[in-house]
Amino acid sequence: MRTIIFSISAILSCVLVNAQNYEIEFSVNKENATAIYNIKNCTEYDLYLIRTHDANLSAGCHCGINYENKDGHLQYEILCTTDKHITKVMPDETYIYNVNFNWLKDKDIKTINGVFCIIYNTSTEQYIRERIERIINF
């Protein structure tokens, strides 16, 4: 029984430690036609955001907007979420980036996908890469 309790507490502590590595918020202000990316580095190490390359959308941060054009066809627009290919976020620092989609304001927007691709270091000096996606439906 003791080993089971110890195992469960060890698993929970690993999960909780991993959950504290960063805080992510993604929101959209439809009136201002802005998507807001907000990530806080909660580690003792640098955290990196990787910008997407057009050839490989699964490899980096981007904002995807799915909308219906005037002919009723679904379109998908990909927008960058950082100014650089790699953005360093120092420990306890918060990175905020606003993506403007003003030219799509009059379109019938269906969904906006906020994709975060981050790399961070752990205390074991292992680099972890994570891809997090937030979807907002309209």
Side-chain angles (χ1 to χ4, degrees):
M1 185 64 153
R2 249 187 178 159
T3 39
I4 293 173
I5 292 172
F6 178 74
S7 298
I8 290 172
S9 64
I11 291 170
L12 282 176
S13 66
C14 287
V15 169
L16 291 175
V17 166
N18 240 2
Q20 299 301 317
N21 289 330
Y22 53 83
E23 294 173 10
I24 287 182
E25 292 179 31
F26 177 69
S27 60
V28 173
N29 183 327
K30 199 167 179 185
E31 285 180 18
N32 293 340
T34 306
I36 301 107
Y37 283 71
N38 187 331
I39 183 164
K40 181 178 181 184
N41 182 355
C42 301
T43 71
E44 299 174 11
Y45 309 99
D46 296 338
L47 178 141
Y48 301 92
L49 294 168
I50 309 300
R51 185 171 78 182
T52 195
H53 302 295
D54 293 336
N56 190 357
L57 291 177
S58 65
C61 301
H62 64 274
C63 182
I65 301 176
N66 190 6
Y67 65 96
E68 194 173 302
N69 67 13
K70 64 181 178 179
D71 299 327
H73 296 101
L74 285 178
Q75 303 287 313
Y76 195 69
E77 199 68 43
I78 303 296
L79 308 171
C80 287
T81 58
T82 62
D83 295 328
K84 300 181 262 180
H85 290 291
I86 298 174
T87 301
K88 181 163 105 174
V89 183
M90 304 285 281
D92 294 322
E93 184 177 87
T94 299
Y95 175 80
I96 299 171
Y97 192 82
N98 296 325
V99 178
N100 186 312
F101 55 93
N102 205 23
W103 71 95
L104 296 172
K105 195 173 181 177
D106 62 334
K107 307 289 185 196
D108 184 16
I109 296 175
K110 302 296 182 187
T111 61
I112 297 182
N113 298 359
V115 179
F116 297 81
C117 183
I118 60 175
I119 296 173
Y120 60 90
N121 195 352
T122 65
S123 59
T124 60
E125 296 190 15
Q126 222 178 1
Y127 284 95
I128 296 175
R129 180 174 180 221
E130 289 192 41
R131 182 177 187 273
I132 300 100
E133 185 172 3
R134 303 284 193 255
I135 300 172
I136 297 176
N137 295 307
F138 294 98

